[in-house]
Amino acid sequence: MALSNPLYLTFTTRRNKPIIIRPAIPTPYEFKPLSDIDDQEALRFYNTGVIFCPKNHLMSGQDPAQIIKSALEKALVYYYPFAGRIHEGPDRKLVVECNGEGIVFVEADADVRLEDFGDAFCPPIPCHEDLLCVPETPVGDVINRPLLYIQVTRLKCEGFIFGIQHCHCMADSSGIAQFLVALGELARGANSLSVQPPWAREILSARILPHITHRHPEYDYTPEKYSLPYDSLEHRSFFFGEKEISVLKEHVSPKLRRFATKFELIAACLWKCRTTAVDYNPREKVRLMFVVDARGKQSLKIPKGYYGTALAFPVAEAEAGELCQHQLSYAVQLVTEAKARATADGYMQSVANLLVSKGRPHFAMDSRTFFISELTHNGLEGIDFGWGKPVYLGPATVSIASYCIGMQNKKGEKGIRASMHLPECDMERFCLEMERFTKASNVCESSFELDMVSKL
């Protein structure tokens, strides 16, 4: 069922002047090296996110901006490296100077209601530039800048939108979710955090004599300078509830039906359908890149509360013709095998060793690579600033990655919404392929063209 998305949404945002928020009490002055996973080239940028919080009658008369501002001062006592600045040392090594200089905070008001945003939340969020503190910056621009930018925008409906831009070198999605859960605890009146945040970045750093023990196609050199033409793409989201997942399972072998995860099924289906839609040369190699979180691996001993980047970027590869001609099981098998390689003992250490040996390169991204990031198990569902469960927590803008986000559809059914960004002609073919795999389950939920939205 198609859901509404406000293509022509416009509103006025009145921002107060930005202020600097520092920790509530003095914190240690020290230099903390980031891990060799943290400071790779691909993560030297600011991730954007928005949290849509509806009106709560129990919080009537309370100002979310002031409550969150006060909570931030307390949270930065525990997460004091966020109040510092990053510097680059020899061999491009990044180090955080924990100097307490603080983060940027803006409070704002907008003459718009939460319901005006429609019922199909998925990046890019309409008018996201009005909900974030600063314009997006290019990859690499993280040196000697604030590491967090936060804007709280009060709405006409008495709800609010929390916008955040954070330096990805400091935290991955699970790490920033943990910070926001802690912020919510303090905003609701807690005197301490339920989870303490250790630094422990040395766990994911290279050895003195780096030794690469695994193959890492995600960092293979590609001569193509690739960037998505976002202004000319069509953006759609696809909802996968229990019914849609069951339909996908009918297309795979009994073994994969039992053991493949929902994300593996969805990622494989999107990859296969996208490859067919884009119409690559049959002999051309196409790749699926995705994200695996190393937290929980006993051999790494990553402590509870670790908020640095603990991600690998495994790659599944196939010839385009082979991927299109085989059954969905073929794609799912490639995804599960890639995940198994990335979760093997020693893999993350090998990644860190490779990154240091090769000068901290960007992972390989070209027009043959489909990159998708799963945001369904990163802890975002635990965020509550006192107004209850948000109606959307996720990226604000489009990036090189598509996203799988856990949320409910209009009927209240829980599931996963996956985004896709393609030229209009390719999107039409993609939707036809998706219908074939979902047996007209009508998973396509929304679409709008970014170039029209960006002009509003």
Side-chain angles (χ1 to χ4, degrees):
M1 180 177 61
L3 296 184
S4 63
N5 205 305
L7 177 59
Y8 298 106
L9 177 65
T10 60
F11 56 87
T12 300
T13 301
R14 296 170 300 281
R15 290 186 175 98
N16 289 2
K17 289 184 177 180
I19 64 171
I20 295 295
I21 294 182
R22 297 181 173 84
I25 60 175
T27 54
Y29 178 82
E30 55 190 345
F31 288 85
K32 287 183 171 291
L34 290 164
S35 83
D36 292 319
I37 301 294
D38 290 326
D39 63 6
Q40 59 185 292
E41 182 66 30
L43 304 184
R44 298 185 179 201
F45 75 103
Y46 284 76
N47 244 344
T48 69
V50 288
I51 302 174
F52 283 60
C53 299
K55 174 181 178 179
N56 184 332
H57 293 286
L58 297 177
M59 300 299 289
S60 179
Q62 300 293 317
D63 183 355
Q66 293 305 310
I67 289 174
I68 290 172
K69 176 177 174 292
S70 177
L72 280 168
E73 294 172 345
K74 299 171 185 176
L76 289 174
V77 174
Y78 300 93
Y79 288 86
Y80 64 89
F82 269 127
R85 299 292 184 267
I86 286 177
H87 303 290
E88 187 176 67
D91 300 320
R92 304 189 68 230
K93 182 66 190 173
L94 297 185
V95 177
V96 182
E97 180 186 7
C98 301
N99 54 17
E101 288 190 12
I103 68 170
V104 175
F105 179 81
V106 171
E107 59 178 291
D109 294 277
D111 58 354
V112 67
R113 298 177 183 274
L114 204 57
E115 53 266 31
D116 295 333
F117 286 87
D119 49 21
F121 295 112
C122 204
I125 297 298
C127 305
H128 56 76
E129 62 276 7
D130 292 315
L131 307 173
L132 300 170
C133 273
V134 293
E136 288 191 90
T137 55
V139 172
D141 188 15
V142 300
I143 306 301
N144 201 29
R145 292 185 57 194
L147 301 175
L148 276 177
Y149 295 85
I150 291 173
Q151 178 173 315
V152 176
T153 305
R154 295 175 288 255
L155 308 178
K156 285 171 62 177
C157 59
E158 297 185 38
F160 67 94
I161 298 173
F162 179 99
I164 183 170
Q165 294 155 283
H166 82 275
C167 177
H168 202 319
C169 296
M170 291 293 294
D172 59 15
S173 62
S174 293
I176 201 65
Q178 178 183 297
F179 171 78
L180 294 174
V181 168
L183 181 64
E185 291 175 347
L186 296 169
R188 300 195 310 273
N191 294 318
S192 61
L193 303 185
S194 59
V195 176
Q196 296 296 315
W199 187 250
R201 305 295 170 107
E202 68 282 355
I203 292 173
L204 293 176
S205 289
R207 297 292 179 253
I208 295 176
L209 297 175
H211 182 46
I212 303 168
T213 57
H214 292 68
R215 180 172 175 264
H216 300 286
E218 63 269 35
Y219 296 102
D220 286 347
Y221 172 74
T222 174
E224 180 182 348
K225 297 295 184 181
Y226 179 65
S227 61
L228 279 174
Y230 298 121
D231 289 347
S232 60
L233 296 182
E234 187 172 348
H235 306 274
R236 298 199 181 191
S237 68
F238 300 82
F239 183 81
F240 294 85
E242 291 301 325
K243 180 179 68 174
E244 290 77 22
I245 294 297
S246 296
V247 172
L248 286 182
K249 286 183 176 180
E250 294 175 6
H251 291 275
V252 301
S253 66
K255 179 180 179 181
L256 291 173
R257 206 173 295 163
R258 290 195 304 272
F259 297 111
T261 66
K262 292 179 181 179
F263 171 74
E264 289 163 358
L265 288 167
I266 293 170
C269 178
L270 295 174
W271 182 35
K272 179 175 171 62
C273 292
R274 181 184 183 276
T275 302
T276 302
V278 175
D279 195 24
Y280 294 102
N281 184 309
R283 301 300 299 273
E284 197 169 11
K285 279 284 183 72
V286 292
R287 297 153 35 111
L288 170 70
M289 182 184 293
F290 56 103
V291 176
V292 169
D293 195 327
R295 290 173 177 82
K297 276 199 64 64
Q298 292 185 352
S299 59
L300 284 176
K301 298 180 180 178
I302 296 175
K304 182 179 180 180
Y306 184 85
Y307 62 100
T309 299
L311 305 179
F313 303 98
V315 168
E317 298 176 287
E319 287 189 356
E322 292 286 307
L323 185 63
C324 295
Q325 292 168 15
H326 281 87
Q327 298 295 317
L328 183 60
S329 286
Y330 177 71
V332 176
Q333 185 68 38
L334 292 175
V335 175
T336 59
E337 289 173 355
K339 182 177 179 180
R341 291 192 295 269
T343 54
D345 286 347
Y347 188 88
M348 291 297 292
Q349 185 62 62
S350 182
V351 172
N353 293 344
L354 177 146
L355 289 168
V356 169
S357 299
K358 296 193 174 184
R360 312 180 198 282
H362 198 293
F363 52 64
M365 193 71 197
D366 58 26
S367 58
R368 300 171 296 109
T369 302
F370 171 49
F371 183 20
I372 187 164
S373 180
E374 181 184 16
L375 301 178
T376 58
H377 301 292
N378 57 8
L380 284 170
E381 66 280 355
I383 297 172
D384 178 1
F385 299 127
W387 274 257
K389 184 177 178 61
V391 296
Y392 174 77
L393 312 92
T397 57
V398 176
S399 71
I400 58 174
S402 292
Y403 296 102
C404 282
I405 303 171
M407 59 178 59
Q408 294 181 346
N409 65 7
K410 192 174 183 179
K411 297 178 181 178
E413 299 168 336
K414 292 184 178 181
I416 296 172
R417 185 174 291 161
S419 61
M420 180 59 66
H421 324 292
L422 287 170
E424 184 177 356
C425 58
D426 292 339
M427 185 64 81
E428 291 179 9
R429 292 193 292 268
F430 178 82
C431 286
L432 289 174
E433 286 297 306
M434 288 292 292
E435 287 179 11
R436 186 166 71 86
F437 279 105
T438 56
K439 294 185 183 297
S441 295
N442 213 10
V443 298
C444 180
E445 288 208 332
S446 67
S447 68
F448 59 93
E449 295 183 10
L450 180 60
D451 59 338
M452 297 180 74
V453 173
S454 65
K455 294 172 184 175
L456 298 179

